[in-house]
Amino acid sequence: MSDKPINLVRLSTLVAVAILVGTELVGASWAAGWALGGLFQLDPLVSRAFEVVFALAGFVGLYFFMRTAIKHEPIRG
């Protein structure tokens, strides 16, 4: 761990990006699951399963996005 202090400006930028991108990515992926369930007129339980799978894919995408963002905008330094 580095001895450098936490840069609060960079931290606030990363938190804001996480909120903005997370809302967009997870919301869009959840909506895609909902839309596919409605488009194919699936059973409500299967439609919910689609929504959950797509939302989890959105969270995975958010994880990889934030991992890359932290590499390019380190909190310490």
Side-chain angles (χ1 to χ4, degrees), residues 8-58:
L8 294 178
V9 173
R10 289 181 180 176
L11 178 64
S12 65
T13 300
L14 288 171
V15 169
V17 165
I19 292 170
L20 178 66
V21 172
T23 302
E24 294 289 332
L25 191 59
V26 174
S29 59
W30 192 292
W34 170 81
L36 286 175
L39 182 66
F40 295 124
Q41 297 178 353
L42 300 174
D43 186 64
L45 184 61
V46 176
S47 182
R48 296 294 183 260
F50 262 90
E51 292 174 21
V52 170
V53 167
F54 275 75
L56 289 175

Side-chain angles (χ1 to χ4, degrees), residues 25 57-70:
L25 191 59
F59 279 115
V60 169
L62 177 61
Y63 168 76
F64 285 112
F65 175 82
M66 287 307 298
R67 194 172 74 170
T68 304
I70 291 171

